[in-house]
Amino acid sequence: MSEEFEEEAGKLAIMACDDGGGGSQSTSNSSIPAITGLALGHEGFVQPSSYLRRSRTYSRPMTPAKPVTAVDREQHKGLKSIRDFLKVRTSYDVLPLSFRLVVLDTTLLVKKSLTTLIQNDIVSAPLWDSKTSTFAGLLTTSDYINVIQYYWQHPEAMSRIDQFRLNSLRDIEKAIGVAPLETVSIHPLRPLYEACRRMLESRARRIPLVDIDDETKRAMIISVVTQYRILKFVAVNVTETQLLRKPLKHLNLGTYQNIETAKMETPVIEVIHQLVQFNISSVPILNSDGVVVNVFEAVDVITLIKGDIYEELNLNVGEALQKRSEDFPGIYTCSVDDRLDTLFDTIRKSRVHRFVIIDELNRLLGLISLSDILEYILLEGEGEDSRLE
């Protein structure tokens, strides 16, 4: 693994982490038909049920508590194989052979940090406190959304937005009453299973890998591992994901109630308020019949405020989504009759961050996030391994 650092204006360090590939070749011989990375514009769907279907104590029991069937045993065998795999592989194993990592100093202006993320086509970056030479957390789209929320509540402070620095982000969280995410990290040689548990317990969607330099005894940021990269790593290397054949309707997986939604005519700032208030990363966009027509994601905010054009926040959702790049892959949907092996196959082939659960008329039923999938494979039936073996 090559590592290159360079400094820009004394504030920015860039090291040679692109969160794209899975880092290793597939060992799977699944017979599930391939799904291509389908670019469907701003209103298209990629539906696994159409393409792929064949003919907080952090532990919980298998559900429901019924006599164990052959399908139950296969499901458990698949889950146990994934957990065993995560326990013997390290966090470092997930990294590709070459990658790029952007590290931002906490004294950098928020305006310049946004420019850096856009130029490098990334949505998060580790923060570094150069005064104490320590890891200082992660900059994510949630931080920019919090800044927008703050200035919306305090319009008199808008004139000072260009002077706002990254080391003041925690003050913003306090001012708008948002609970900060716990800053967690892990040594790159610790088991991947441990990294996943820490992510679940801290509600984080990514975790930095931090090592200690042997000579200076100071922390070194090696890379950042995301939920997507971990799940793709599993999908590529664990053939037993093909055993996860129970339909989603029989699994304790996803959210089906109290889902925040919006319409194409909804002002973007109202959707941003929803993201902040309910600590969510996306809001399904429905028409008057409850049909899913799109999804507004937290990362869409980055596109709207690039170049400091905060007036774009006065747009409605439909207008805002038209500003997405042409290579936007569309949204991924599934039905309650789809299975987890289908979802894993989709993750293996495509860059997916969530699945929208719809009925036969494309009406919204629920959502499955990568956090939901990670929690399920780690916890479902974990305490009952010996009974079902």
Side-chain angles (χ1 to χ4, degrees), residues 40-41 43-47 292-295 297 324 328-333 354 356:
L40 297 174
E43 297 182 359
F45 297 96
V46 177
Q47 186 169 351
V292 179
V293 295
N294 219 310
V295 176
E297 304 174 349
R324 282 173 168 165
F328 178 72
I331 62 177
Y332 289 80
T333 72
R354 65 189 55 80
V356 182

Side-chain angles (χ1 to χ4, degrees), residues 1 21-25 85-97 99 187-193 209 222-223 225 229-230 232-234 237:
M1 177 183 61
S24 59
Q25 296 298 314
F85 174 79
L86 294 173
K87 290 175 181 178
V88 299
R89 304 304 291 265
T90 69
S91 301
Y92 187 84
D93 293 335
V94 182
L95 302 181
L97 294 178
F99 58 89
H187 190 279
L189 297 183
R190 295 299 303 165
L192 192 54
Y193 179 85
L209 307 184
I222 304 300
S223 188
V225 174
R229 181 170 289 282
I230 292 173
K232 181 166 185 176
F233 188 61
V234 169
N237 293 285

Side-chain angles (χ1 to χ4, degrees), residues 333-362:
T333 72
C334 63
S335 78
V336 293
D337 294 315
D338 279 306
R339 306 176 309 212
L340 197 52
D341 65 337
T342 298
L343 304 193
F344 266 109
D345 198 68
T346 305
I347 291 171
R348 182 169 63 87
K349 294 179 172 71
S350 309
R351 190 175 181 84
V352 188
H353 294 289
R354 65 189 55 80
F355 293 91
V356 182
I357 308 170
I358 57 176
D359 64 13
E360 63 279 1
L361 298 178
N362 289 339

Side-chain angles (χ1 to χ4, degrees), residues 285-351:
I285 309 303
L286 313 181
N287 67 12
S288 57
D289 297 319
V291 172
V292 179
V293 295
N294 219 310
V295 176
F296 188 92
E297 304 174 349
V299 295
D300 289 319
V301 175
I302 299 295
T303 303
L304 292 179
I305 62 176
K306 67 180 180 180
D308 298 331
I309 308 177
Y310 286 86
E311 291 78 10
E312 301 281 20
L313 299 174
N314 294 320
L315 299 176
N316 63 37
V317 168
E319 294 168 331
L321 294 181
Q322 290 297 321
K323 296 183 177 296
R324 282 173 168 165
S325 64
E326 292 298 323
D327 60 354
F328 178 72
I331 62 177
Y332 289 80
T333 72
C334 63
S335 78
V336 293
D337 294 315
D338 279 306
R339 306 176 309 212
L340 197 52
D341 65 337
T342 298
L343 304 193
F344 266 109
D345 198 68
T346 305
I347 291 171
R348 182 169 63 87
K349 294 179 172 71
S350 309
R351 190 175 181 84

